[in-house]
């Protein structure tokens, strides 16, 4: 029945393109709405409709805006439902047949509190339940609205961009051998990612070192494969340049985030914040990872802007690692996934400054992973890292946002990191 509903909706939308934005809004709302989100195949519909948006030329920011608005409204409606009916919701026939849905959502909310609303957006079965649980348990309205907006900002790019880019790519010419190289590279990246995740999932003393070795193997393989990936590299560079410079010039505003001044300021603020929290070992983790990343990038002869970008992202991921130490492995993975909007913004700043190079981007990603994994492995050899006090996590997570605002306001013109290198 879900497949029939999806097919009929997409066929109707093909004949009524003027409703595309509202359709994105409604799908995002239903996908986040209590009860409805459990029944409607929201993710499948959202990917299909965002692919249509990309193929039909809807601006990317418009697509993300419609999805963001729908997600916010859906969570607000779910919260209101819980606030109005409280425990009477358990009497609904759907929840009487599946009482475990509310039980799991309530346990998740009681364990993670405010963070459960952010994390819940990315956890399939409980995604539409958490806002309703927050209302049932009388979470303050103002706090919920702020967290709802922040989580939707992280959710929209993650769910919109992949389908949009896939649809947008159908409008461009594809040269010979492009798909052979693309699928070969995708398979290799997926294999390395699976090996890294397996090593981390084992959670043994050797896990970090083995995962670092897997990234190093990928980096060596990438250097050998470079001569055979020329068609893919040049084609993607043309596509990305088209995306960043022609239809969406607003992305150039993120240029300062790939600047060495942003990297330098981010490092100073994060180290100061961690030191004030009493996290001396966390400061050491961040410093070691940044130095390893710089050393690897210089050895690989990465351009200066790629080096700044990768160092900034290395420090952000180390911050997430430090703040999520008290949670389970799966929740820590969600914390890393929640950094995607920041990764997109900093990468957009890089692409707005110079022509994209796929191999440089992949090399940067591998050096980031190597630096974080190896530094964490070194730190944990002396004992497990203690968790950051919960009351300080919110303050630390605001520091990257403060750094971005200062950089975008013009402070990025300071370039001490470039001068040092």
């Amino acid at each position: 029945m879900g497949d029939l509903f999806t097919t009929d909706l997409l066929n109707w939308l093909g004949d009524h393109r003027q409703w595309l934005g509202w359709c994105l809004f409604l799908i995002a709302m239903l996908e986040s709405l209590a009860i409805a989100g459990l029944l409607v195949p929201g993710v499948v519909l959202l990917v299909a409709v965002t692919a249509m948006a990309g193929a039909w030329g809807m601006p990317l920011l418009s697509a993300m805006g419609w999805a963001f608005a729908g997600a916010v409204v859906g969570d607000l409606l779910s919260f209101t439902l819980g606030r109005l009916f409280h425990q009477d919701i358990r009497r609904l026939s759907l929840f009487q047949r599946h009482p475990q849905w509310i039980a799991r959502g309530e346990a998740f909310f009681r364990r993670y509190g405010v963070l459960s609303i952010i994390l819940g957006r990315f956890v399939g079965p409980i995604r539409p339940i958490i806002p309703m649980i927050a209302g049932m348990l009388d979470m303050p309205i103002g706090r919920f609205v702020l967290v709802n907006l922040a989580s939707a900002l992280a959710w929209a790019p993650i769910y919109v961009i992949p389908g949009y880019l896939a649809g947008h790519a159908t409008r461009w010419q594809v040269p010979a051998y492009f798909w052979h190289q693309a699928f070969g590279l995708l398979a290799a990246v997926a294999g390395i990612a699976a090996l890294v995740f397996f090593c981390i999932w084992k959670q043994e003393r050797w896990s970090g070192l083995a995962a670092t070795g897997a990234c190093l193997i990928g980096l060596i393989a990438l250097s050998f494969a470079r001569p055979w990936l020329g068609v893919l590299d040049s084609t993607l560079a043309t596509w990305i340049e088209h995306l960043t410079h022609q239809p969406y010039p607003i992305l150039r505003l993120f240029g300062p985030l790939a600047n060495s001044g942003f990297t330098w300021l981010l490092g100073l603020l994060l180290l100061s914040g961690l030191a004030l929290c009493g996290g001396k070992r966390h400061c050491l983790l961040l410093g070691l990872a940044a130095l390893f990343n710089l050393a690897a990038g210089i050895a690989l002869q990465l351009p200066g802007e790629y080096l700044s970008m990768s160092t900034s992202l290395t420090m952000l991921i180390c911050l997430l690692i430090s703040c999520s130490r008290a949670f389970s492995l799966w929740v820590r993975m969600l914390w890393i996934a929640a950094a995607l909007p920041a990764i997109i913004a900093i990468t957009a700043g890089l692409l707005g400054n110079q022509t994209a190079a796929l191999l440089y981007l992949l090399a940067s990603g591998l050096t980031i992973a190597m630096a974080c994994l190896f530094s964490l492995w070194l730190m944990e050899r002396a004992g497990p890292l203690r968790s950051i006090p919960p009351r300080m996590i919110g303050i630390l997570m605001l520091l990257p946002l403060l750094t971005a605002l200062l950089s975008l306001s013009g402070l990025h013109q300071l370039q001490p990191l470039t001068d040092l290198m």
Side-chain angles (χ1 to χ4, degrees):
M1 182 175 179
D3 292 340
L4 181 61
F5 172 74
T6 302
T7 303
D8 289 343
L9 177 61
L10 296 179
N11 290 335
W12 178 87
L13 193 58
D15 297 327
H16 302 83
R17 297 189 180 187
Q18 69 274 19
W19 294 100
L20 181 60
W22 282 106
C23 191
L24 276 171
F25 173 87
L26 290 173
I27 292 171
M29 184 186 72
L30 289 174
E31 204 265 343
S32 303
L33 188 61
I35 303 176
L38 297 170
L39 305 175
V40 175
V43 175
V44 175
L45 283 172
L46 198 60
V47 171
V49 175
T50 52
M52 286 183 171
W56 295 345
M58 173 182 274
L60 176 58
L61 291 179
S62 296
M64 288 196 293
W66 283 107
F68 167 80
V72 169
V73 172
D75 270 15
L76 283 174
L77 290 175
S78 298
F79 178 81
T80 303
L81 184 67
R83 192 88 172 185
L84 290 176
F85 296 100
H86 289 88
Q87 300 301 323
D88 289 339
I89 290 177
R90 298 178 186 272
R91 300 177 183 176
L92 293 176
S93 59
L94 179 65
F95 292 125
Q96 287 182 344
R97 292 196 302 270
H98 303 281
Q100 71 276 12
W101 289 350
I102 289 183
R104 291 172 183 171
E106 188 172 351
F108 192 81
F109 183 83
R110 291 187 183 279
R111 181 175 182 182
Y112 298 115
V114 171
L115 288 176
S116 66
I117 299 172
I118 299 176
L119 299 174
R121 281 203 185 271
F122 306 95
V123 181
I126 64 171
R127 181 167 53 250
I129 295 294
I130 292 297
M132 186 181 70
I133 297 292
M136 290 171 61
L137 298 180
D138 292 321
M139 181 178 183
I141 297 175
R143 185 184 303 172
F144 175 81
V145 170
L146 289 176
V147 178
N148 181 27
L149 292 172
S151 63
L153 280 174
W155 176 88
I158 293 174
Y159 277 75
V160 170
I161 289 178
Y164 182 92
L165 292 180
H168 206 288
T170 61
R171 304 172 62 193
W172 297 324
Q173 294 294 325
V174 178
Y177 302 108
F178 173 84
W179 291 116
H180 295 82
Q181 296 180 8
F183 285 125
L185 182 61
L186 183 63
V189 170
I192 293 172
L195 182 57
V196 169
F197 181 79
F198 174 77
C199 294
I200 296 174
W201 174 69
K202 295 297 290 184
Q203 298 191 69
E204 301 288 347
R205 287 182 60 86
W206 49 264
S207 294
L209 187 60
T212 304
C215 293
L216 180 60
I217 292 172
L219 200 58
I220 295 172
L222 181 64
S223 64
F224 280 108
R226 187 169 186 171
W228 289 276
L229 296 174
V231 173
L232 177 65
D233 193 21
S234 61
T235 304
L236 290 180
T238 303
W239 288 1
I240 294 174
E241 186 176 4
H242 176 76
L243 278 172
T244 55
H245 290 281
Q246 293 184 18
Y248 319 113
I250 194 172
L251 293 181
R252 299 181 194 178
L253 295 176
F254 294 113
L257 301 184
N259 190 281
S260 59
F262 173 80
T263 304
W264 184 259
L265 183 60
L266 179 66
L268 288 176
L269 288 180
L270 292 185
L271 288 172
S272 300
L274 289 170
L276 290 175
C277 293
K280 294 181 180 179
R281 297 188 66 208
H282 294 287
C283 287
L284 185 56
L285 170 67
L286 188 145
L288 281 175
L291 288 175
F292 286 147
N293 180 80
L294 280 171
I298 293 172
L300 292 170
Q301 298 182 336
L302 293 179
E305 283 159 338
Y306 284 88
L307 197 56
S308 297
M309 176 203 69
S310 63
T311 305
S312 297
L313 293 179
T314 297
M315 291 189 290
L316 284 175
I317 291 174
C318 284
L319 174 65
L320 291 174
I321 291 172
S322 296
C323 291
S324 62
R325 297 305 293 168
F327 302 108
S328 66
L329 173 65
W330 293 106
V331 176
R332 293 202 298 269
M333 293 296 103
L334 288 174
W335 275 69
I336 302 298
L340 186 58
I343 294 172
I344 291 172
I346 294 174
T347 306
L350 168 75
L351 301 178
N353 290 338
Q354 66 177 63
T355 303
L358 173 66
L359 299 181
Y360 281 149
L361 289 172
L362 289 174
S364 298
L366 288 169
T367 58
I368 291 168
M370 286 173 55
C372 295
L373 290 167
F374 186 62
S375 300
L376 183 60
W377 177 76
L378 285 178
M379 295 301 301
E380 290 191 326
R381 283 182 63 82
L385 285 174
R386 66 179 181 85
S387 59
I388 298 290
R391 65 181 182 278
M392 301 301 298
I393 291 178
I395 297 174
L396 289 173
M397 297 302 291
L398 288 176
L399 292 179
L401 178 60
L402 175 61
T403 309
L405 292 176
L406 291 173
S407 296
L408 294 174
S409 67
L411 199 61
H412 66 281
Q413 295 174 2
L414 298 174
Q415 298 201 17
L417 186 61
T418 301
D419 296 338
L420 287 177
M421 295 187 297

